[in-house]
Amino acid sequence: MRSVEDQQIKVTAAAVAPRPVRVAISEAQGLLCAEDVVTERPLPGFDQAAIDGYAVRSVDVSGAGADIRDEDGHPIDLSLPVVGEVAAGSRQPIRLQPRQTVRVDTGAPLPTLADAVLPLDFTDGGRARVKVYEPVRTGDYVRRIGDDVQPGDLAVRAGTIIGPAQVGLLAAVGRDKVLVHPRPRLSVLSVGGELVDIDRTPGPGQVYDVNSYALAAAARDAGADVNRVGIVSGDAKRLRDVVEGQLVRSEVVVIAGAVGGWASEQIREALEGLGELEITRVGMHPGSVQGFGRLGRDEVPTFLLPSNPVGALVVFEVMVRPLIRIALGRRHPMRRIVKARTILPISSIPGRRGYLRAQLMRDEQTGEYLVQPLGGPNGASSHLLATLAEANSLIVIDPEVTEVRTGDEVRVAFLAQRG
Protein backbone atom coordinates (compact mmCIF):
# COMPACT_ATOMS: atom_id res chain seq x y z
CA MET A 1 0.00 0.00 0.00
CA ARG A 2 1.41 3.38 -1.01
CA SER A 3 1.39 6.24 1.47
CA VAL A 4 -0.63 9.39 0.81
CA GLU A 5 2.58 11.45 0.76
CA ASP A 6 4.23 9.20 -1.84
CA GLN A 7 1.15 9.30 -4.06
CA GLN A 8 0.95 13.09 -3.75
CA ILE A 9 4.62 13.39 -4.74
CA LYS A 10 3.99 11.20 -7.77
CA VAL A 11 0.92 13.23 -8.77
CA THR A 12 2.26 16.74 -8.20
CA ALA A 13 5.48 15.93 -10.07
CA ALA A 14 3.30 15.67 -13.18
CA ALA A 15 1.87 19.20 -12.81
CA VAL A 16 2.62 21.37 -15.82
CA ALA A 17 1.55 25.00 -15.78
CA PRO A 18 0.11 26.22 -19.09
CA ARG A 19 2.21 28.86 -20.83
CA PRO A 20 1.42 32.40 -19.67
CA VAL A 21 -1.04 34.25 -21.86
CA ARG A 22 -1.93 37.91 -22.22
CA VAL A 23 -5.55 38.60 -21.35
CA ALA A 24 -7.79 41.62 -20.90
CA ILE A 25 -7.65 42.89 -17.33
CA SER A 26 -11.39 42.22 -17.02
CA GLU A 27 -10.62 38.51 -17.54
CA ALA A 28 -7.59 38.37 -15.22
CA GLN A 29 -9.31 38.28 -11.83
CA GLY A 30 -8.29 35.31 -9.70
CA LEU A 31 -5.29 34.47 -11.87
CA LEU A 32 -1.61 34.75 -11.01
CA CYS A 33 0.23 37.65 -12.61
CA ALA A 34 3.13 36.38 -14.77
CA GLU A 35 4.97 39.68 -15.24
CA ASP A 36 6.17 42.71 -13.32
CA VAL A 37 3.90 45.55 -14.41
CA VAL A 38 6.01 48.72 -14.34
CA THR A 39 4.20 52.04 -14.50
CA GLU A 40 5.17 54.47 -17.25
CA ARG A 41 3.25 57.50 -15.99
CA PRO A 42 2.67 59.01 -12.55
CA LEU A 43 -0.58 58.39 -10.72
CA PRO A 44 -2.30 60.75 -10.34
CA GLY A 45 -1.03 62.41 -13.51
CA PHE A 46 -1.69 65.95 -12.24
CA ASP A 47 -2.26 67.82 -8.98
CA GLN A 48 -5.92 67.37 -8.13
CA ALA A 49 -8.47 68.20 -5.47
CA ALA A 50 -8.97 65.41 -2.95
CA ILE A 51 -12.29 66.86 -1.75
CA ASP A 52 -15.05 69.22 -2.90
CA GLY A 53 -14.20 72.77 -1.90
CA TYR A 54 -12.20 75.81 -2.95
CA ALA A 55 -8.69 75.91 -4.42
CA VAL A 56 -6.65 78.56 -2.59
CA ARG A 57 -3.20 79.81 -1.84
CA SER A 58 -2.73 78.75 1.77
CA VAL A 59 -1.09 82.07 2.62
CA ASP A 60 -4.33 83.86 1.69
CA VAL A 61 -6.36 81.99 4.33
CA SER A 62 -3.75 81.67 7.07
CA GLY A 63 -5.58 84.22 9.22
CA ALA A 64 -8.94 82.45 9.12
CA GLY A 65 -10.45 81.75 12.53
CA ALA A 66 -8.22 84.32 14.25
CA ASP A 67 -9.71 87.29 16.13
CA ILE A 68 -8.96 90.05 13.55
CA ARG A 69 -10.54 93.51 14.09
CA ASP A 70 -10.56 96.87 12.28
CA GLU A 71 -9.40 100.20 13.73
CA ASP A 72 -12.72 100.61 15.52
CA GLY A 73 -12.49 97.16 17.14
CA HIS A 74 -15.11 95.45 14.96
CA PRO A 75 -14.44 91.78 13.90
CA ILE A 76 -13.27 91.35 10.30
CA ASP A 77 -14.52 88.34 8.32
CA LEU A 78 -11.97 86.69 6.03
CA SER A 79 -13.58 86.26 2.63
CA LEU A 80 -12.34 85.72 -0.95
CA PRO A 81 -13.92 86.25 -4.34
CA VAL A 82 -14.85 83.04 -6.22
CA VAL A 83 -13.56 83.63 -9.76
CA GLY A 84 -14.45 80.30 -11.39
CA GLU A 85 -15.36 76.67 -11.04
CA VAL A 86 -13.42 73.57 -12.13
CA ALA A 87 -15.18 70.22 -12.54
CA ALA A 88 -13.51 66.82 -12.55
CA GLY A 89 -12.25 66.11 -16.06
CA SER A 90 -11.86 69.78 -16.97
CA ARG A 91 -9.14 70.54 -19.52
CA GLN A 92 -9.41 74.31 -19.29
CA PRO A 93 -6.32 75.70 -17.50
CA ILE A 94 -7.00 78.31 -14.81
CA ARG A 95 -4.46 80.53 -13.10
CA LEU A 96 -5.26 81.60 -9.57
CA GLN A 97 -4.34 85.19 -8.62
CA PRO A 98 -3.45 86.26 -5.06
CA ARG A 99 -6.48 86.72 -2.77
CA GLN A 100 -8.76 84.73 -5.09
CA THR A 101 -10.32 81.28 -4.98
CA VAL A 102 -11.80 78.78 -7.45
CA ARG A 103 -14.50 76.26 -6.60
CA VAL A 104 -13.32 72.67 -7.37
CA ASP A 105 -14.89 69.22 -7.42
CA THR A 106 -13.15 66.11 -6.10
CA GLY A 107 -10.66 64.96 -8.74
CA ALA A 108 -10.56 68.31 -10.52
CA PRO A 109 -7.16 69.64 -11.65
CA LEU A 110 -5.77 72.25 -9.31
CA PRO A 111 -5.44 75.77 -10.77
CA THR A 112 -1.93 77.15 -11.22
CA LEU A 113 -0.54 78.75 -8.01
CA ALA A 114 -3.13 77.00 -5.79
CA ASP A 115 -1.40 74.86 -3.14
CA ALA A 116 -4.35 73.68 -1.01
CA VAL A 117 -8.06 72.97 -1.08
CA LEU A 118 -10.42 74.53 1.42
CA PRO A 119 -13.16 72.00 2.33
CA LEU A 120 -16.76 73.20 2.08
CA ASP A 121 -17.14 72.64 5.83
CA PHE A 122 -14.48 75.30 6.44
CA THR A 123 -16.60 77.94 4.62
CA ASP A 124 -20.13 79.30 4.20
CA GLY A 125 -20.34 77.68 0.74
CA GLY A 126 -20.64 80.99 -1.08
CA ARG A 127 -20.75 81.05 -4.88
CA ALA A 128 -19.64 84.63 -5.72
CA ARG A 129 -17.75 85.27 -2.53
CA VAL A 130 -16.88 82.79 0.18
CA LYS A 131 -16.34 83.34 3.89
CA VAL A 132 -13.44 81.32 5.32
CA TYR A 133 -13.78 80.01 8.87
CA GLU A 134 -10.67 77.82 9.19
CA PRO A 135 -7.19 77.94 7.62
CA VAL A 136 -5.44 75.24 5.58
CA ARG A 137 -1.76 74.56 5.06
CA THR A 138 0.19 73.88 1.89
CA GLY A 139 -0.77 70.47 0.51
CA ASP A 140 -3.95 70.07 2.55
CA TYR A 141 -6.65 68.12 0.69
CA VAL A 142 -4.55 67.86 -2.44
CA ARG A 143 -3.45 64.70 -4.28
CA ARG A 144 -0.09 65.64 -5.75
CA ILE A 145 1.15 64.28 -9.06
CA GLY A 146 2.72 60.85 -8.46
CA ASP A 147 1.46 60.57 -4.85
CA ASP A 148 0.14 57.06 -5.57
CA VAL A 149 2.60 55.73 -8.14
CA GLN A 150 5.73 57.17 -9.73
CA PRO A 151 7.07 56.21 -13.19
CA GLY A 152 9.17 53.07 -12.80
CA ASP A 153 7.24 51.83 -9.76
CA LEU A 154 5.90 48.26 -9.72
CA ALA A 155 2.12 48.44 -10.00
CA VAL A 156 1.62 44.65 -9.84
CA ARG A 157 4.42 42.21 -9.06
CA ALA A 158 4.80 38.83 -10.80
CA GLY A 159 3.33 36.12 -8.58
CA THR A 160 0.55 38.33 -7.25
CA ILE A 161 -3.00 37.00 -7.39
CA ILE A 162 -4.99 39.54 -9.39
CA GLY A 163 -7.97 40.73 -7.36
CA PRO A 164 -10.26 43.76 -7.62
CA ALA A 165 -7.59 46.15 -6.29
CA GLN A 166 -5.01 44.90 -8.82
CA VAL A 167 -7.50 45.17 -11.67
CA GLY A 168 -8.23 48.74 -10.59
CA LEU A 169 -4.54 49.63 -10.38
CA LEU A 170 -3.86 48.14 -13.81
CA ALA A 171 -6.66 50.26 -15.23
CA ALA A 172 -5.37 53.32 -13.36
CA VAL A 173 -1.92 53.01 -14.98
CA GLY A 174 -3.40 52.49 -18.43
CA ARG A 175 -2.92 48.73 -18.88
CA ASP A 176 -5.72 47.03 -20.81
CA LYS A 177 -4.01 43.61 -20.86
CA VAL A 178 -1.72 41.67 -18.54
CA LEU A 179 0.33 38.46 -18.74
CA VAL A 180 -1.12 35.77 -16.46
CA HIS A 181 -0.84 32.07 -15.70
CA PRO A 182 -4.08 30.77 -17.27
CA ARG A 183 -6.44 28.29 -15.69
CA PRO A 184 -5.43 24.71 -16.49
CA ARG A 185 -8.01 22.97 -18.69
CA LEU A 186 -9.59 19.94 -17.04
CA SER A 187 -11.93 17.40 -18.60
CA VAL A 188 -14.11 15.20 -16.43
CA LEU A 189 -16.12 12.17 -17.53
CA SER A 190 -18.04 9.33 -15.88
CA VAL A 191 -17.94 5.65 -16.84
CA GLY A 192 -20.54 3.10 -15.74
CA GLY A 193 -23.38 1.15 -17.30
CA GLU A 194 -25.61 2.05 -14.37
CA LEU A 195 -25.41 5.82 -14.99
CA VAL A 196 -28.08 8.07 -16.49
CA ASP A 197 -27.97 11.86 -16.86
CA ILE A 198 -30.11 14.03 -14.63
CA ASP A 199 -32.57 14.84 -17.43
CA ARG A 200 -33.73 11.19 -17.46
CA THR A 201 -35.60 9.04 -14.94
CA PRO A 202 -33.45 6.17 -13.63
CA GLY A 203 -34.75 2.70 -14.38
CA PRO A 204 -34.20 -0.43 -12.30
CA GLY A 205 -30.55 -0.68 -11.29
CA GLN A 206 -29.74 2.80 -12.61
CA VAL A 207 -28.52 5.91 -10.76
CA TYR A 208 -27.94 9.52 -11.68
CA ASP A 209 -24.48 10.59 -12.85
CA VAL A 210 -23.42 12.54 -9.78
CA ASN A 211 -19.66 12.43 -10.27
CA SER A 212 -19.24 14.41 -13.48
CA TYR A 213 -21.25 17.30 -12.01
CA ALA A 214 -19.68 17.20 -8.55
CA LEU A 215 -16.12 16.82 -9.80
CA ALA A 216 -16.59 19.54 -12.42
CA ALA A 217 -17.74 21.88 -9.64
CA ALA A 218 -14.78 20.90 -7.46
CA ALA A 219 -12.40 21.57 -10.35
CA ARG A 220 -13.90 25.01 -10.96
CA ASP A 221 -13.61 25.76 -7.25
CA ALA A 222 -9.93 24.81 -7.45
CA GLY A 223 -9.45 27.27 -10.32
CA ALA A 224 -9.57 25.05 -13.42
CA ASP A 225 -11.26 25.76 -16.74
CA VAL A 226 -13.61 22.75 -16.87
CA ASN A 227 -15.10 20.70 -19.68
CA ARG A 228 -17.73 18.31 -18.30
CA VAL A 229 -17.90 15.51 -20.86
CA GLY A 230 -20.54 13.58 -18.92
CA ILE A 231 -21.30 9.89 -19.27
CA VAL A 232 -19.15 7.85 -21.65
CA SER A 233 -19.99 4.33 -22.78
CA GLY A 234 -17.86 1.55 -21.34
CA ASP A 235 -17.27 0.28 -24.86
CA ALA A 236 -13.47 0.10 -25.19
CA LYS A 237 -13.22 1.87 -28.57
CA ARG A 238 -15.68 4.61 -27.61
CA LEU A 239 -13.94 5.24 -24.27
CA ARG A 240 -10.52 5.37 -25.90
CA ASP A 241 -11.72 7.78 -28.62
CA VAL A 242 -13.29 10.15 -26.08
CA VAL A 243 -10.29 10.13 -23.74
CA GLU A 244 -7.86 10.59 -26.63
CA GLY A 245 -9.87 13.60 -27.77
CA GLN A 246 -9.75 15.16 -24.31
CA LEU A 247 -6.00 14.61 -23.97
CA VAL A 248 -5.29 17.07 -26.80
CA ARG A 249 -7.42 19.80 -25.22
CA SER A 250 -6.66 19.38 -21.52
CA GLU A 251 -3.90 19.72 -18.98
CA VAL A 252 -5.74 17.31 -16.64
CA VAL A 253 -8.24 14.50 -17.30
CA VAL A 254 -10.43 12.98 -14.58
CA ILE A 255 -12.35 9.73 -15.13
CA ALA A 256 -14.85 8.67 -12.48
CA GLY A 257 -15.77 4.99 -12.51
CA ALA A 258 -15.03 1.62 -11.01
CA VAL A 259 -11.40 1.48 -9.87
CA GLY A 260 -11.30 -2.03 -8.52
CA GLY A 261 -11.42 -5.51 -10.03
CA TRP A 262 -12.58 -6.40 -13.52
CA ALA A 263 -14.18 -3.03 -14.35
CA SER A 264 -10.96 -1.10 -13.78
CA GLU A 265 -9.04 -3.62 -15.87
CA GLN A 266 -11.46 -2.93 -18.71
CA ILE A 267 -10.78 0.78 -18.46
CA ARG A 268 -7.03 0.26 -18.29
CA GLU A 269 -7.09 -2.06 -21.31
CA ALA A 270 -9.22 0.43 -23.27
CA LEU A 271 -6.63 3.14 -22.69
CA GLU A 272 -3.65 0.89 -23.34
CA GLY A 273 -1.32 2.48 -25.84
CA LEU A 274 -2.03 6.00 -24.60
CA GLY A 275 0.30 5.51 -21.64
CA GLU A 276 0.40 3.66 -18.35
CA LEU A 277 -2.57 4.17 -16.02
CA GLU A 278 -1.49 2.69 -12.68
CA ILE A 279 -4.25 1.53 -10.37
CA THR A 280 -2.97 1.33 -6.83
CA ARG A 281 -4.11 1.17 -3.22
CA VAL A 282 -3.25 4.31 -1.25
CA GLY A 283 -3.23 4.42 2.56
CA MET A 284 -6.25 6.70 2.93
CA HIS A 285 -9.98 6.39 3.44
CA PRO A 286 -12.33 6.91 1.80
CA GLY A 287 -10.96 6.42 -1.74
CA SER A 288 -8.16 3.96 -1.05
CA VAL A 289 -8.17 2.42 -4.54
CA GLN A 290 -7.41 5.01 -7.23
CA GLY A 291 -5.66 5.31 -10.56
CA PHE A 292 -3.17 7.78 -11.97
CA GLY A 293 -1.04 7.98 -15.08
CA ARG A 294 0.34 10.31 -17.74
CA LEU A 295 -1.40 9.66 -21.03
CA GLY A 296 -1.07 10.88 -24.59
CA ARG A 297 1.72 12.55 -26.48
CA ASP A 298 1.89 15.38 -23.94
CA GLU A 299 1.79 13.00 -20.94
CA VAL A 300 -1.35 14.60 -19.55
CA PRO A 301 -1.99 13.77 -15.86
CA THR A 302 -5.00 11.44 -15.87
CA PHE A 303 -6.89 10.25 -12.80
CA LEU A 304 -9.24 7.32 -12.27
CA LEU A 305 -11.45 8.02 -9.26
CA PRO A 306 -13.97 5.85 -7.37
CA SER A 307 -17.57 5.62 -8.52
CA ASN A 308 -18.69 6.45 -4.94
CA PRO A 309 -19.26 10.27 -5.07
CA VAL A 310 -17.93 10.86 -1.55
CA GLY A 311 -14.79 8.83 -2.22
CA ALA A 312 -14.35 10.55 -5.59
CA LEU A 313 -14.62 14.02 -4.04
CA VAL A 314 -12.21 13.18 -1.22
CA VAL A 315 -9.60 11.75 -3.63
CA PHE A 316 -10.08 14.84 -5.80
CA GLU A 317 -9.49 17.08 -2.76
CA VAL A 318 -6.35 15.22 -1.65
CA MET A 319 -4.77 14.44 -5.05
CA VAL A 320 -6.25 16.42 -7.94
CA ARG A 321 -6.81 19.81 -6.33
CA PRO A 322 -3.13 20.32 -5.33
CA LEU A 323 -2.07 19.55 -8.90
CA ILE A 324 -4.47 22.20 -10.23
CA ARG A 325 -3.21 24.77 -7.73
CA ILE A 326 0.42 24.07 -8.70
CA ALA A 327 -0.51 24.44 -12.38
CA LEU A 328 -2.02 27.82 -11.52
CA GLY A 329 1.32 28.85 -10.06
CA ARG A 330 0.14 28.95 -6.44
CA ARG A 331 2.95 28.65 -3.91
CA HIS A 332 0.76 26.94 -1.31
CA PRO A 333 -1.35 24.32 -3.11
CA MET A 334 -2.66 22.56 -0.01
CA ARG A 335 -5.62 23.57 2.12
CA ARG A 336 -5.03 25.50 5.33
CA ILE A 337 -4.71 23.16 8.33
CA VAL A 338 -5.88 24.23 11.79
CA LYS A 339 -5.87 22.46 15.14
CA ALA A 340 -9.30 21.85 16.69
CA ARG A 341 -10.82 19.89 19.55
CA THR A 342 -13.38 17.32 18.53
CA ILE A 343 -16.73 17.40 20.30
CA LEU A 344 -17.50 13.73 19.50
CA PRO A 345 -15.40 10.54 19.54
CA ILE A 346 -14.00 9.31 16.21
CA SER A 347 -12.98 5.87 14.94
CA SER A 348 -10.59 5.51 12.02
CA ILE A 349 -9.35 2.57 9.94
CA PRO A 350 -5.90 1.41 11.12
CA GLY A 351 -3.05 1.87 8.66
CA ARG A 352 -4.87 4.49 6.58
CA ARG A 353 -5.03 8.26 6.82
CA GLY A 354 -8.63 9.24 7.45
CA TYR A 355 -10.29 12.20 5.76
CA LEU A 356 -13.55 12.55 7.67
CA ARG A 357 -16.08 15.23 6.79
CA ALA A 358 -16.86 17.64 9.57
CA GLN A 359 -18.23 20.98 10.69
CA LEU A 360 -15.54 23.37 11.93
CA MET A 361 -16.65 26.08 14.35
CA ARG A 362 -15.12 28.49 16.83
CA ASP A 363 -15.86 29.00 20.51
CA GLU A 364 -17.00 32.63 20.86
CA GLN A 365 -15.57 32.98 24.36
CA THR A 366 -12.16 31.30 24.02
CA GLY A 367 -11.59 31.62 20.25
CA GLU A 368 -10.65 27.92 20.20
CA TYR A 369 -11.53 25.84 17.14
CA LEU A 370 -14.01 23.02 17.70
CA VAL A 371 -14.93 20.33 15.19
CA GLN A 372 -17.90 18.00 14.90
CA PRO A 373 -17.49 14.87 12.76
CA LEU A 374 -20.42 14.17 10.42
CA GLY A 375 -21.74 10.99 8.83
CA GLY A 376 -23.14 9.09 11.78
CA PRO A 377 -21.57 7.65 14.92
CA ASN A 378 -17.77 7.51 14.85
CA GLY A 379 -17.66 8.94 11.32
CA ALA A 380 -19.52 5.97 9.81
CA SER A 381 -21.45 5.91 6.52
CA SER A 382 -18.64 7.24 4.36
CA HIS A 383 -20.81 6.91 1.26
CA LEU A 384 -23.42 9.50 2.29
CA LEU A 385 -23.18 12.52 -0.01
CA ALA A 386 -25.65 14.60 2.04
CA THR A 387 -23.24 14.84 4.97
CA LEU A 388 -20.40 15.92 2.68
CA ALA A 389 -22.64 18.75 1.49
CA GLU A 390 -22.97 19.89 5.13
CA ALA A 391 -19.23 19.75 5.76
CA ASN A 392 -16.96 22.78 5.73
CA SER A 393 -13.84 20.80 6.61
CA LEU A 394 -12.12 17.41 6.68
CA ILE A 395 -10.68 15.95 9.86
CA VAL A 396 -7.30 14.41 9.03
CA ILE A 397 -6.54 11.33 11.14
CA ASP A 398 -3.01 9.86 10.99
CA PRO A 399 -2.69 6.17 9.93
CA GLU A 400 -1.50 5.02 13.37
CA VAL A 401 -4.52 6.55 15.14
CA THR A 402 -7.67 4.41 15.39
CA GLU A 403 -9.58 6.15 18.18
CA VAL A 404 -9.97 9.83 19.01
CA ARG A 405 -11.69 10.76 22.26
CA THR A 406 -14.02 13.68 22.81
CA GLY A 407 -11.90 16.77 23.54
CA ASP A 408 -8.77 15.46 21.81
CA GLU A 409 -6.98 17.81 19.44
CA VAL A 410 -7.05 16.90 15.73
CA ARG A 411 -5.84 18.41 12.48
CA VAL A 412 -8.56 19.88 10.27
CA ALA A 413 -8.35 20.93 6.61
CA PHE A 414 -10.64 23.93 6.15
CA LEU A 415 -12.67 23.72 2.93
CA ALA A 416 -13.02 27.46 2.42
CA GLN A 417 -16.11 28.43 0.45
CA ARG A 418 -15.66 30.77 -2.48
CA GLY A 419 -18.02 33.55 -3.36
Side-chain angles (χ1 to χ4, degrees):
M1 186 180 295
R2 183 175 293 159
S3 71
V4 171
E5 291 83 0
D6 286 347
Q7 184 72 356
Q8 285 178 327
I9 290 170
K10 183 180 179 67
V11 166
T12 55
V16 177
R19 291 181 179 179
V21 295
R22 198 166 295 279
V23 301
I25 61 172
S26 58
E27 303 298 321
Q29 187 171 351
L31 299 178
L32 204 68
C33 187
E35 64 172 331
D36 285 336
V37 179
V38 179
T39 59
E40 298 178 358
R41 293 183 292 274
L43 178 68
F46 53 89
D47 292 343
Q48 61 181 239
I51 193 172
D52 291 351
Y54 300 87
V56 296
R57 299 192 321 153
S58 58
V59 66
D60 292 337
V61 296
S62 60
D67 185 14
I68 304 175
R69 298 178 180 271
D70 60 18
E71 294 178 353
D72 298 324
H74 298 115
I76 299 176
D77 287 331
L78 176 58
S79 64
L80 299 173
V82 181
V83 298
E85 187 168 338
V86 182
S90 172
R91 295 184 176 183
Q92 186 66 36
I94 292 184
R95 184 180 179 87
L96 192 67
Q97 299 298 328
R99 301 283 304 166
Q100 292 181 346
T101 184
V102 171
R103 184 146 181 162
V104 291
D105 293 339
T106 302
L110 221 59
T112 305
L113 296 186
D115 65 350
V117 173
L118 196 65
L120 291 176
D121 290 348
F122 288 13
T123 73
D124 67 348
R127 289 286 181 176
R129 193 170 188 89
V130 59
K131 288 184 180 180
V132 182
Y133 302 139
E134 295 185 41
V136 287
R137 296 172 297 179
T138 297
D140 281 358
Y141 307 103
V142 173
R143 291 186 65 209
R144 292 294 186 190
I145 182 171
D147 266 356
D148 203 346
V149 175
Q150 292 283 352
D153 284 352
L154 274 178
V156 180
R157 191 179 301 276
T160 300
I161 298 172
I162 297 177
Q166 287 73 30
V167 171
L169 186 53
L170 289 167
V173 299
R175 288 290 296 268
D176 62 338
K177 293 186 177 181
V178 62
L179 195 68
V180 296
H181 295 285
R183 304 182 192 281
R185 298 167 300 172
L186 182 145
S187 294
V188 57
L189 54 103
S190 292
V191 178
E194 77 282 11
L195 301 177
V196 295
D197 210 339
I198 57 177
D199 60 353
R200 294 178 54 193
T201 300
Q206 293 183 318
V207 295
Y208 285 125
D209 169 29
V210 173
N211 278 327
S212 72
Y213 288 96
L215 294 172
R220 290 190 194 98
D221 184 77
D225 180 9
V226 180
N227 173 40
R228 191 191 69 83
V229 180
I231 304 169
V232 178
S233 166
D235 174 76
K237 184 178 186 310
R238 173 63 179 158
L239 178 59
R240 180 189 173 95
D241 288 346
V242 171
V243 172
E244 198 165 12
Q246 298 308 312
L247 291 173
V248 299
R249 60 172 294 174
S250 309
E251 277 80 41
V252 185
V253 172
V254 174
I255 305 168
V259 291
W262 181 71
S264 63
E265 286 302 317
Q266 279 189 307
I267 294 174
R268 186 159 59 179
E269 287 174 11
L271 303 181
E272 195 173 11
L274 298 178
E276 182 182 355
L277 184 63
E278 179 192 35
I279 297 171
T280 187
R281 189 175 292 276
V282 178
M284 61 180 286
H285 73 93
S288 174
V289 182
Q290 53 191 266
F292 176 73
R294 302 170 72 165
L295 306 185
R297 182 186 61 186
D298 296 326
E299 297 188 335
V300 175
T302 303
F303 295 85
L304 182 58
L305 304 189
S307 55
N308 171 1
V310 171
L313 282 169
V314 170
V315 175
F316 185 97
E317 174 68 31
V318 177
M319 298 297 171
V320 187
R321 189 180 190 277
L323 181 137
I324 294 171
R325 306 298 284 176
I326 291 171
L328 279 166
R330 301 298 170 88
R331 296 187 183 93
H332 305 290
M334 303 300 183
R335 294 281 196 184
R336 182 166 68 100
I337 298 289
V338 299
K339 296 286 186 68
R341 295 196 181 279
T342 180
I343 62 176
L344 290 174
I346 302 170
S347 294
S348 186
I349 297 174
R352 299 187 196 176
R353 175 163 294 160
Y355 293 92
L356 310 179
R357 54 213 180 282
Q359 276 278 355
L360 182 68
M361 59 201 86
R362 204 159 197 172
D363 188 299
E364 292 183 358
Q365 294 182 337
T366 66
E368 183 181 37
Y369 282 114
L370 303 174
V371 66
Q372 177 183 355
L374 302 175
N378 298 328
S381 305
S382 65
H383 64 285
L384 296 179
L385 188 61
T387 56
L388 187 62
E390 296 175 6
N392 65 2
S393 58
L394 291 174
I395 299 172
V396 183
I397 306 294
D398 288 334
E400 64 274 11
V401 178
T402 58
E403 299 291 337
V404 178
R405 296 169 300 180
T406 299
D408 282 353
E409 194 173 65
V410 292
R411 293 186 300 134
V412 181
F414 181 50
L415 308 180
Q417 299 296 313
R418 299 175 66 175

